[in-house]
Amino acid sequence: MNTEARTACSWYALRAQHGPPRETDLRMGAIHPHCDRRVLVISDSGTNGAALLRFLAGSHLLALVDEDVPEPPMMSFEVDRASRGYDGLQCLRDEVDGVRPYAIAFLDASSLPESEALETAERLLDADGDVQVIYCIDRDDGDGGAVRGRIGPCDRLVLLRTPLEPTEVRMLAEAMASKRAAVRHARHGNQAPAAGGDGRTLELERANRQLVDEVAQRREMESRLRHHAFHDTLTGLANRALLKERLERCIDMATRREDYRFALLFLDVDNFKVINDSLGHDAGDELLIAVTKRLLRCMRSVDTVTRQGEIAARLGGDEFVIVLEGLRRCSDAAIVCERILEQLVEPFKLKGHEVTVSASIGVAISKPGPMTSASLLRDADIAMYRAKSAGKARYALFDRGMHGEAVKRLHLENDLRRAVERGQFHVIYHPIISLRTGAVDGLEALVRWEHPSRGTISPDEFIPIAEETGLIVPLGNWVLREACAQLGKWDEAGATSGKLCMNVNLSRRQLLEVSVIDDVRSALEDAGIDSERLNLEITESAIISDADAAEDQLAQIRRLGVQIQMDDFGTGYSSLSCLHRFPLDVVKIDRSFLATMAENRQYAAIIHGIVDIAHNLGMRVTIEGVETTDQLAQVLALDCDFAQGFLFSKPIAADATEKLLRSERRWQVPA
């Protein structure tokens, strides 16, 4: 016999491991006492053939996808394998008249030419009137019409689609083997006297009921497997695979009907990571489930918007997709978006906390011409990021211009990665002036990117990308080391008095890095400067995003002797609580306050109040954006300690900064 693999496990070993079969086991057909366990696998595919050998000859039944489903009793098989149809047919014929012929033949039609697979299946059924043939075809091979047309109705032939699932393979093999054994047993043994023939009839009826039970069990398992394969385990929504299937159906409909329109809504929960990090992943999962319920509530109310149907899917993390079919007007998608945003306004209660979230939604609407599910998802995703960058808690409709911007952004991101590696960045310095003496008290280090083909790129353009991709960590660390090293060089050159301070911006991602303390310490030691001359600036929004972790990291930085300054104060939220909770030395008031103070004198009162609170807490105050002498007079009246702005100096290169320091210039500061 031409075989490539064989494994066996005796019936007695099976009984020793599991005990004798129970009556309920026999009734369910899990193990039949007369069941032949020989299986022939015909496959020219290393993947499917090896999988069938592993699934059928294993020493235990692989776990079911649903832990609540009881594991049926195990059945072991003796498995032989042939690589070609002719070899498999010969194996079957050699054993058909033996003591133990093959009970089942798995025919991997996906690995053979169609004509050979069909002919082999037909001859296998003709060669052995009892053998059960399981015909394996690809999932995309339609409804198996070719095999049915060639062979016709046959209760010994079953179609099985690949990719193969271990539980499905074993349960199908057990059911088919038990069915075959029951029919053979009814035919050849335990028959009643010939006078009535009722014994054989009862056996056949029992075998038939058993087969019906097994088929129902298999269908239930198939249903579970299909649901598991096409649905998200956390929310129960459709997953990416089912979403793709539905989108392709919509695209096919749109190509055949000019009046058919559908829309894709790509939804991202704003600030989900903050909630996940602060309250824990369990709370994050609870929030996703609650958001799902509200989305479904919206979809149940869209019957006035869509005619045919809709589907909601979760792509992973905090990303959801809704497909709206049969739109009457493009504006109908906007109605659904507004309903979703309204539903999310009401706070969520998570583990004793009341949490308010919003969502950014991108909308892509089907249009005439070529479409793919991937391109629609891409377009909706791009529109979603446009909504998020516009301020979150809103929706945006995709247009072709967005795609060009997305491609441009992708190229910029790739260039940014190379720029970090190739050292295309340089640091410039913005003087900070003491309002007591008019002298330069410190410098703020600012990074600039000199692109080889585009020239100087604004930080407003590349810093957000660096933050999003995580490149801000190596970039920020390089700026820290470069600024400290430059200060050390000026000290050695005698350009400073040894007391000049250096301000360096620290991003949220840098602050939460485990290595940030060692990075700061290393930069100071390598530059040979005292720690109290380094000021790290962090925005209040970065601190609030993970307040507990930020508080711990800032306390450790302070223990190094480094000063902490809050940058852009007044542009975030919970500002006053930040002043007493975190270890701050200086508060930098954002330029927006000073710019509007001339138009609205109430801003002067706000700034004055901030200055008083900061001074009472032992902090000093720097105000940014001083550009005119009138503004300087207003700042002096508010009793600020330091000022920064174009009135004194623009950010300048290192050599120009050194000249400024050597000049020991003092600006005129009215008393």
Side-chain angles (χ1 to χ4, degrees):
M1 179 172 59
N2 181 15
T3 61
E4 298 178 5
R6 169 175 292 172
T7 60
C9 177
S10 72
W11 172 252
Y12 300 102
L14 186 63
R15 287 173 61 89
Q17 182 177 0
H18 294 278
R22 301 185 299 273
E23 181 181 351
T24 55
D25 296 336
L26 299 179
R27 186 171 63 253
M28 290 298 293
I31 299 176
H32 195 286
H34 305 287
C35 178
D36 293 322
R37 294 173 289 109
R38 296 195 69 191
V39 175
L40 176 63
V41 173
I42 304 173
S43 175
D44 194 27
S45 165
T47 302
N48 290 339
L52 287 168
L53 289 173
R54 186 170 67 253
F55 298 163
L56 295 169
S59 60
H60 60 83
L61 185 64
L62 299 177
L64 298 176
V65 296
D66 191 336
E67 295 179 356
D68 295 332
V69 178
E71 182 175 321
M74 177 272 299
M75 175 185 290
S76 294
F77 296 93
E78 296 177 12
V79 186
D80 297 334
R81 178 178 174 185
S83 60
R84 304 295 300 177
Y86 175 82
D87 295 332
L89 182 61
Q90 190 61 44
C91 289
L92 185 82
R93 286 171 172 168
D94 289 344
E95 301 294 328
V96 68
D97 294 324
V99 177
R100 298 179 61 250
Y102 289 107
I104 304 170
F106 276 87
L107 178 57
D108 180 16
S110 63
S111 70
L112 302 173
E114 184 180 36
S115 58
E116 180 181 346
L118 292 171
E119 183 178 358
T120 301
E122 189 174 31
R123 292 193 176 188
L124 287 172
L125 293 167
D126 291 340
D128 186 340
D130 290 323
V131 71
Q132 311 292 306
V133 177
I134 299 177
Y135 195 88
C136 305
I137 61 175
D138 285 332
R139 186 173 296 278
D140 298 328
D141 280 354
D143 58 358
V147 65
R148 288 203 304 271
R150 175 71 175 263
I151 296 174
C154 180
D155 62 357
R156 293 186 291 124
L157 179 69
V158 175
L159 295 182
L160 179 64
R161 297 184 183 275
T162 60
L164 301 173
E165 295 284 349
T167 304
E168 186 177 17
V169 168
R170 289 189 62 92
M171 289 193 69
L172 181 57
E174 290 173 4
M176 299 296 284
S178 294
K179 169 199 166 188
R180 176 184 181 277
V183 173
R184 284 170 58 87
H185 182 61
R187 184 191 307 153
H188 300 297
N190 290 340
Q191 296 184 11
D198 291 339
R200 181 178 180 184
T201 301
L202 290 174
E203 281 290 336
L204 287 172
E205 290 177 352
R206 187 179 301 113
N208 187 59
R209 287 196 302 270
Q210 175 182 301
L211 180 59
V212 170
D213 290 342
E214 290 167 355
V215 170
Q217 186 180 19
R218 177 173 180 262
R219 286 177 176 173
E220 181 182 357
M221 179 54 63
E222 286 178 343
S223 176
R224 289 180 179 273
L225 289 170
R226 172 165 284 275
H227 188 275
H228 179 75
F230 290 104
H231 290 81
D232 175 53
T233 55
L234 177 65
T235 63
L237 296 178
N239 63 10
R240 187 181 292 270
L242 184 54
L243 173 66
K244 181 181 178 183
E245 183 179 293
R246 178 65 69 89
L247 279 176
E248 289 174 349
R249 190 187 77 180
C250 292
I251 292 170
D252 180 65
M253 182 73 75
T255 57
R256 290 187 286 108
R257 286 178 45 189
E258 293 183 359
D259 63 336
Y260 179 83
R261 288 181 179 177
F262 66 94
L264 185 69
L265 276 55
F266 197 115
L267 182 149
D268 182 88
V269 180
D270 297 327
N271 300 321
F272 174 74
K273 188 177 186 304
V274 175
I275 296 171
N276 214 27
D277 292 345
S278 58
L279 299 182
H281 292 281
D282 289 343
D285 289 347
E286 188 178 334
L287 175 62
L288 293 175
I289 294 171
V291 168
T292 297
K293 292 179 180 178
R294 296 195 187 181
L295 290 179
L296 293 176
R297 193 186 309 163
C298 288
M299 290 174 60
R300 284 195 295 269
S301 67
V302 300
D303 52 338
T304 60
V305 177
T306 63
R307 291 198 302 266
Q308 298 180 18
E310 58 282 324
I311 182 175
R314 177 175 174 239
L315 297 188
D318 59 338
E319 293 180 337
F320 297 84
V321 170
I322 296 175
V323 179
L324 302 175
E325 298 186 48
L327 290 180
R328 296 185 179 92
R329 297 172 299 276
C330 294
S331 59
D332 291 340
I335 296 175
V336 179
C337 291
E338 290 170 358
R339 289 178 180 173
I340 292 173
L341 295 176
E342 290 173 3
Q343 281 287 333
L344 296 179
V345 168
E346 183 182 350
F348 294 86
K349 292 183 179 179
L350 306 174
K351 298 188 177 299
H353 298 270
E354 192 173 85
V355 175
T356 302
V357 300
S358 59
S360 300
I361 307 173
V363 183
I365 297 178
S366 61
K367 294 181 179 180
M371 289 182 292
T372 65
S373 59
S375 65
L376 284 167
L377 280 168
R378 178 203 64 201
D379 294 347
D381 189 21
I382 291 172
M384 183 273 293
Y385 273 103
R386 169 63 66 86
K388 193 173 287 288
S389 62
K392 304 179 181 179
R394 64 195 65 208
Y395 64 90
L397 181 65
F398 175 81
D399 60 52
R400 294 187 181 277
M402 289 183 184
H403 183 253
E405 292 179 10
V407 172
K408 180 180 177 182
R409 177 187 170 91
L410 178 61
H411 290 161
L412 188 64
E413 180 181 328
N414 292 334
D415 290 346
L416 183 60
R417 293 182 185 277
R418 290 192 289 266
V420 174
E421 299 167 359
R422 298 173 182 176
Q424 295 175 359
F425 295 98
H426 64 275
V427 178
I428 59 176
Y429 302 91
H430 199 188
I432 300 171
I433 310 302
S434 169
L435 295 179
R436 302 288 182 267
T437 65
V440 177
D441 185 82
L443 300 165
E444 181 180 3
L446 303 171
V447 65
R448 293 294 184 267
W449 180 13
E450 199 65 32
H451 192 278
S453 60
R454 294 181 53 187
T456 302
I457 297 180
S458 169
D460 294 337
E461 190 173 355
F462 71 82
I463 290 295
I465 298 177
E467 285 273 10
E468 184 179 325
T469 59
L471 292 171
I472 194 66
V473 175
L475 176 58
N477 194 37
W478 176 82
V479 174
L480 172 66
R481 298 186 66 85
E482 181 71 14
C484 290
Q486 184 62 67
L487 185 58
K489 292 176 183 177
W490 285 328
D491 287 348
E492 292 178 3
T496 72
S497 62
K499 295 182 180 180
L500 184 73
C501 294
M502 181 64 72
N503 287 26
V504 178
N505 291 281
L506 195 68
S507 72
R508 180 189 64 84
R509 297 189 73 151
Q510 280 181 277
L511 178 63
L512 298 180
E513 282 286 313
V514 177
S515 62
V516 65
I517 310 301
D518 292 336
D519 291 340
V520 172
R521 183 187 294 111
S522 175
L524 291 169
E525 291 175 353
D526 291 348
I529 61 175
D530 295 333
S531 58
E532 62 267 16
R533 297 177 63 192
L534 176 62
N535 299 325
L536 294 180
E537 297 186 11
I538 180 108
T539 63
E540 58 180 312
S541 58
I543 294 176
I544 293 299
S545 66
D546 194 343
D548 292 336
E551 186 175 11
D552 180 64
Q553 292 285 73
L554 291 174
Q556 293 187 60
I557 292 173
R558 276 291 299 273
R559 284 195 284 272
L560 294 177
V562 174
Q563 304 289 297
I564 306 295
Q565 299 193 6
M566 178 173 286
D567 195 15
D568 299 336
F569 186 81
T571 60
Y573 50 91
S574 302
S575 302
L576 296 180
S577 65
C578 291
L579 293 182
H580 70 81
R581 177 175 181 180
F582 299 103
L584 304 174
D585 299 284
V586 176
V587 174
K588 295 186 73 174
I589 298 176
D590 186 69
R591 65 179 65 248
S592 61
F593 280 90
L594 190 58
T596 56
M597 195 165 61
E599 301 173 3
N600 190 340
R601 302 194 60 82
Q602 290 181 343
Y603 276 85
I606 294 174
I607 296 176
H608 199 281
I610 294 173
V611 173
D612 285 344
I613 293 172
H615 285 165
N616 289 333
L617 293 174
M619 304 172 192
R620 292 168 295 167
V621 178
T622 300
I623 189 160
E624 300 176 300
V626 180
E627 299 182 356
T628 66
T629 54
D630 289 341
Q631 288 179 332
L632 177 59
Q634 291 174 325
V635 168
L636 291 170
L638 294 171
D639 199 24
C640 296
D641 302 285
F642 306 101
Q644 196 174 6
F646 288 0
L647 176 64
F648 307 106
S649 173
K650 294 181 179 181
I652 52 179
D655 54 352
T657 302
E658 182 174 347
K659 292 179 181 179
L660 175 63
L661 295 175
R662 290 185 181 279
S663 70
E664 298 183 352
R665 178 178 176 180
R666 291 178 182 267
W667 278 265
Q668 187 71 28
V669 179

